Amino acid sequence: MIVAPPSGNTFPPEPYQVLHVGFDTIALSIKTMLPPDLLDYFESQKQIAEKEQRDQLVEWNGVKLHLKGHGGKGYRFIASGGPHGANWAFKKPNAKDPWGVRVTFGSTFLATLGLGAARAHLDAVLDKLGMRFAHDDISISRVDICTDILAPDFALDADAFVMHSSTNRRDYVTGFDASVNGKSGRVTSVTIGSTRARQIIIYDKRLEVIQKQKAHWWAIWNKIRVATGQPDLSPADPSQKIWRVEFRAGKDLLKDTSNIRTWADMFARFGDLCAQTGDVIRYTVPNTYDRNRARWPNHPLWEVAVAEIVSDLSEMREGEDPTGVKSVIREQHIATLIKNIRGTSVTLAALEGRNFEALPDFFGQVATKLTHSVNSEPEHVAKMLKNAQDRYTFVT
């Protein structure tokens, strides 16, 4: 979807282009408990993870997870299925507390596979783990949905939001976390509301992707560019500003206000909840001649974002093969490691008094030493390799 932004600029502005729309986070609890044999297995593997101070790769009936050596927030076991899986938390079985599992799907899974795949993945994993539950035995506690928009001319204005007077607002300015009040600097993020209830956030997604090295998002965004015959977006071009508009529904809003608990509830009412959010909180074009902020018109960026977010849920899934995104994540790890190897090797050369011309021969000598080290401690190095393979099993 492409919409022209407001006029008034010195040069004709570029249109707004939607690069991505979909769910960003989904968290839910399941009314089921670990079977005794799986409980024993997790206990033994958790002890290994705790002893070796690293995540332990576990496998049960074809399900692979990285199990941590600790629990947290009332859960005995914490595990991850990698960037294309889910994050899992399991309680120790307790008849007085039957809600024994918490599952969180993150942005990478949902951006590449979608909502339908998340639901199918949840059912398949718990079935393989021998954990049975009915359709009503789930409780959705958080749903985030977002759209990313290419908007080169857009500048975020914290004072352009119109909302209920009781709604909280947090502003973030480039370089520091603070209120915009009296501070100079470009506003990069504005958050309104609370995590347990209704919350919206508009932020500079391009900046966040670069700062947190989430290189796979360029591959996701460039899908639409390729499909429309446009050149790829690049992190090297600061004029290609990408803004994310995100609606977040917390536990209180989902359950108490909208009566959304199960998958059926979500498909029936979540679209209405998003539409309501787009009305209760608005990003506008301020009119300094009208003191009644309620009459300020919606900003075109907001109109585009709300229209995309409240679309039919069945269309909010990419359903693509995640191999391309996996490849980007893997190549990013490789590039980082090669950079580290180069830096460490050059530092070693400096410590040994080598000059620049001697570096090629020195690198060969280092490789020879590493080979001798492998041959002298084969069991230890083999274990190191196995640990590394386990650590990156979900992106290789």
Side-chain angles (χ1 to χ4, degrees):
M1 181 175 183
I2 299 179
V3 173
S7 59
N9 298 305
T10 304
F11 299 100
E14 295 185 34
Y16 295 152
Q17 182 178 28
V18 176
L19 300 174
H20 166 75
V21 59
F23 291 95
D24 193 61
T25 299
I26 295 178
L28 59 158
S29 297
I30 314 295
K31 192 176 182 180
T32 186
M33 291 183 284
L34 288 168
D37 51 351
L38 182 56
L39 172 64
D40 293 341
Y41 175 65
F42 275 179
E43 287 284 9
S44 64
Q45 297 302 301
K46 181 183 176 184
Q47 291 177 12
I48 296 174
E50 184 177 12
K51 179 181 179 181
E52 299 189 1
Q53 294 295 298
R54 63 177 180 84
D55 293 352
Q56 176 74 359
L57 180 64
V58 299
E59 184 171 1
W60 187 270
N61 195 23
V63 175
K64 291 183 178 181
L65 297 171
H66 277 148
L67 182 67
K68 296 189 176 298
H70 61 80
K73 296 183 178 180
Y75 291 92
R76 178 69 175 173
F77 307 104
I78 306 294
S80 170
H84 294 279
N87 291 320
W88 301 81
F90 302 94
K91 293 179 180 177
K92 190 172 183 178
N94 180 355
K96 296 181 179 180
D97 183 7
W99 295 90
V101 181
R102 180 175 173 83
V103 188
T104 303
F105 290 95
S107 60
T108 302
F109 183 106
L110 292 167
T112 54
L113 295 172
L115 179 64
R119 182 176 180 180
H121 182 76
L122 171 69
D123 292 346
V125 169
L126 290 181
D127 181 64
K128 290 181 178 180
L129 295 181
M131 305 178 73
R132 306 289 182 257
F133 66 99
H135 292 301
D136 290 339
D137 291 340
I138 73 167
S139 179
I140 300 173
S141 58
R142 175 179 172 180
V143 181
D144 298 354
I145 190 168
C146 66
T147 182
D148 297 333
I149 302 173
L150 178 64
D153 69 298
F154 180 74
L156 184 59
D157 179 4
D159 292 325
F161 284 91
V162 174
M163 71 206 84
H164 192 278
S165 60
S166 64
T167 305
N168 297 322
R169 188 184 79 187
R170 295 199 307 276
D171 307 325
Y172 293 86
V173 180
T174 300
F176 52 90
D177 294 352
S179 171
V180 172
N181 299 334
K183 302 291 184 179
S184 61
R186 184 172 72 90
V187 179
T188 59
S189 175
V190 177
T191 302
I192 296 170
S194 64
T195 55
R196 287 187 62 89
R198 191 192 315 273
Q199 187 175 69
I200 70 99
I201 176 171
I202 299 180
Y203 64 100
D204 186 336
K205 185 63 178 178
R206 176 186 177 276
L207 178 65
E208 190 237 13
V209 163
I210 292 174
Q211 289 182 337
K212 297 185 178 180
Q213 299 183 346
K214 299 179 178 180
H216 58 280
W217 274 102
W218 297 102
I220 293 172
W221 291 331
N222 282 325
K223 274 182 53 187
I224 188 65
R225 302 283 290 184
V226 171
T228 54
Q230 297 172 291
D232 284 355
L233 300 172
S234 168
D237 187 351
S239 69
Q240 297 174 337
K241 297 176 183 177
I242 301 169
W243 292 89
R244 170 163 289 188
V245 178
E246 187 168 328
F247 288 5
R248 299 171 177 175
K251 185 176 181 179
D252 292 348
L253 178 65
L254 289 168
K255 291 182 172 58
D256 298 341
T257 304
S258 301
N259 193 27
I260 294 175
R261 185 175 63 85
T262 67
W263 288 120
D265 297 337
M266 181 173 166
F267 276 90
R269 290 186 285 278
F270 188 71
D272 292 336
L273 184 153
C274 288
Q276 183 188 49
T277 296
D279 289 334
V280 171
I281 302 169
R282 297 186 300 118
Y283 186 78
T284 68
V285 179
N287 183 350
T288 55
Y289 298 102
D290 190 344
R291 300 176 66 179
N292 186 347
R293 296 168 61 92
R295 288 196 292 260
W296 289 1
N298 287 347
H299 193 285
L301 184 101
W302 187 253
E303 293 282 4
V304 172
V306 174
E308 292 292 328
I309 287 175
V310 301
S311 297
D312 185 352
L313 292 182
S314 65
E315 297 179 2
M316 289 183 179
R317 51 180 138 180
E318 310 256 333
E320 66 178 82
D321 183 350
T323 303
V325 173
K326 281 187 179 182
S327 177
V328 173
I329 295 173
R330 182 173 64 251
E331 292 302 321
Q332 186 175 30
H333 281 302
I334 291 173
T336 300
L337 291 171
I338 289 177
K339 184 178 180 180
N340 291 341
I341 291 170
R342 183 185 65 180
T344 301
S345 299
V346 170
T347 301
L348 181 59
L351 290 171
E352 293 195 7
R354 307 300 178 93
N355 57 30
F356 180 79
E357 289 72 19
L359 284 180
D361 289 338
F362 177 73
F363 291 157
Q365 294 167 15
V366 171
T368 300
K369 291 179 181 179
L370 290 174
T371 301
H372 289 323
S373 174
V374 171
N375 292 334
S376 64
E377 298 180 289
E379 294 183 1
H380 175 66
V381 177
K383 184 178 180 180
M384 292 175 61
L385 178 61
K386 178 62 167 56
N387 290 342
Q389 291 171 334
D390 289 350
R391 187 181 311 120
Y392 295 106
T393 187
F394 297 115
V395 294
T396 57

